[in-house]
Amino acid sequence: QVPLDVNARSDMRTIVSGLPGANYGFSGRMLINGARTAQVAFDNDGLANRSPYAGNMQQESSLNVDSLASIKFTLVNAGAESRAPAQVSAITKSGTNQFHGNIFLDTMHSLFNANDHNAPAAADKPFARTNYMGYSIDGPMFIPKLYDGRNRTFFLNSLTIMQAPWRTDGFITSPDAKMRAGDFSDFRDPEGNLIPIIDPATGLQFPGNRIPTGRIYSGSKAYLETIYPLPTRVGYQDNLFLPVLSETDGKSVRMDLRVDQVVNDKNNFFVRYSRLWNPEGAAYRDFGVGMNASLFTIDSFVVTDAHVFRPNLINEFRFGRSRVFNKQYIGLNSSEIVGLLGITGIPDILTGPDRHNVPDLNITGAQYITPWVGDGTGSNHLWEIFDNATWVHNRHTVKMGTNFRKDVNDNRSYDRPGSFTFDGTFSGYGLADFLLGLPSRAVRPYP
């Protein structure tokens, strides 16, 4: 049994990784004493919280520290109840006849940090802030004049909100107003030589190095005006400074609720519901696509009943269900961007009202835009029924039981609506090819 530091506002992953013999390997999977990831079992109150499929994470960090009574860490030779030789078991605590509670705010702020020792003198420190705030309360279920649950009914409720906001700034490449109008009369290389823009129809340089207005593709012009602000510096490769290039509130919420009931001196049970979720405000906001939402949610429910038939015969029954759901999308609607560019032939399934993605546009001379998240959903379910009987006879102890589990993985993702490359094949410069509407490579997705 491992004692917990309740002031460490962290998830179970951080707590467990600090134990002897434990570390995280590829893709954040737990390794214990060199065992494979699928040889490490995790459970919360006996409900499996790691999918058997390749040892993938199911609910490894979904409980509040304030809700935990202990973590049992079995390095090798876990009992027959475990599906793996190593096991990490988290046990939530029950309320008691006394009310207990706390409200907390733990914060880390870069204001109190020293700067990097390699940073130049007087350089600004990188901004960083992490807040853990919330509450925990437990005790007997008590409603004045209606119900006194002392010695019979107990509850525990805890809530933790984590915030770790960050913002970055930087320069991007954005065409200036003259280039957007097809005017490359002052488009020069570092030595000051004019870079010719070739007319694909004639093979000759455009007169005055300007693309005629009537030759500019309307979709290209509309796309640039919608996505790219005008530059703040002219004549530089990275010519648009964005004070907020990307940002996030970095917010997540964890909630646990447990109710214990003593039926009589031979029978008691408890019910626990836990939820971890990222509210929409936790989304990244990035140049070109706006919001990058990854609305990750974990729900778990478990009920456990312990019955003493005789002093030497005890039975434990447990039923649990958990669900891990993740919906990802960006702030732009696929149909709007595809319509803006005037692209045809994209399958309807990629441009419906619920699709949020942008075409993959590689344009030499304009910032490449890619979402941080994909477009789609992931939904993983786990059901578990467990029954275990313990019989003690003289000097012998016999345990027998059954464990039934069902795992369902339903993951679906959607392709980006087309991929196009504008690299100067036709005019000598990618941005000019884009203005002419002439990609050197065009790929239609077949989802």
Side-chain angles (χ1 to χ4, degrees), residues 350-367:
L350 298 180
T351 57
D354 294 329
R355 298 281 56 82
H356 296 267
N357 219 327
V358 292
D360 184 8
L361 296 179
N362 292 272
I363 307 169
T364 304
Q367 186 74 26

Side-chain angles (χ1 to χ4, degrees), residues 42 54 57 63 161 188 235 237 254 270 296 318 325 328 333 350 354 382 406 416 431:
F42 287 78
M57 186 178 74
L63 293 176
I161 300 173
R188 303 179 182 276
Q237 180 65 21
R254 290 200 299 261
F270 75 83
F296 186 76
R318 182 167 59 247
F325 179 77
Q328 294 186 329
N333 186 277
L350 298 180
D354 294 329
L382 182 148
K406 180 180 180 180
R416 297 177 70 171
L431 178 63

Side-chain angles (χ1 to χ4, degrees), residues 105-111 113 125-133 161-169 244 246-252 281-285 372:
L105 169 62
D106 294 338
T107 184
M108 184 285 294
H109 200 290
S110 54
L111 176 67
N113 295 349
K125 291 184 293 186
F127 170 79
R129 176 167 63 90
T130 302
N131 288 337
Y132 286 93
M133 64 193 82
I161 300 173
M162 189 277 288
Q163 286 182 307
W166 57 261
R167 291 164 180 79
T168 62
D169 55 23
V244 180
S246 59
E247 64 176 341
T248 179
D249 291 336
K251 189 176 183 180
S252 66
Y284 295 101
R285 289 169 291 279
W372 286 37

Side-chain angles (χ1 to χ4, degrees), residues 9-24:
R9 305 296 174 190
S10 184
D11 58 31
M12 192 188 305
R13 172 179 296 194
T14 304
I15 296 171
V16 173
S17 62
L19 299 175
N23 67 288
Y24 276 86

Side-chain angles (χ1 to χ4, degrees), residues 259-279:
V259 176
D260 289 72
Q261 178 67 45
V262 178
V263 179
N264 52 48
D265 58 354
K266 293 185 177 182
N267 184 258
N268 64 80
F269 69 89
F270 75 83
V271 178
R272 177 184 57 79
Y273 172 73
S274 297
R275 181 178 176 88
L276 180 151
W277 69 99
N278 292 336

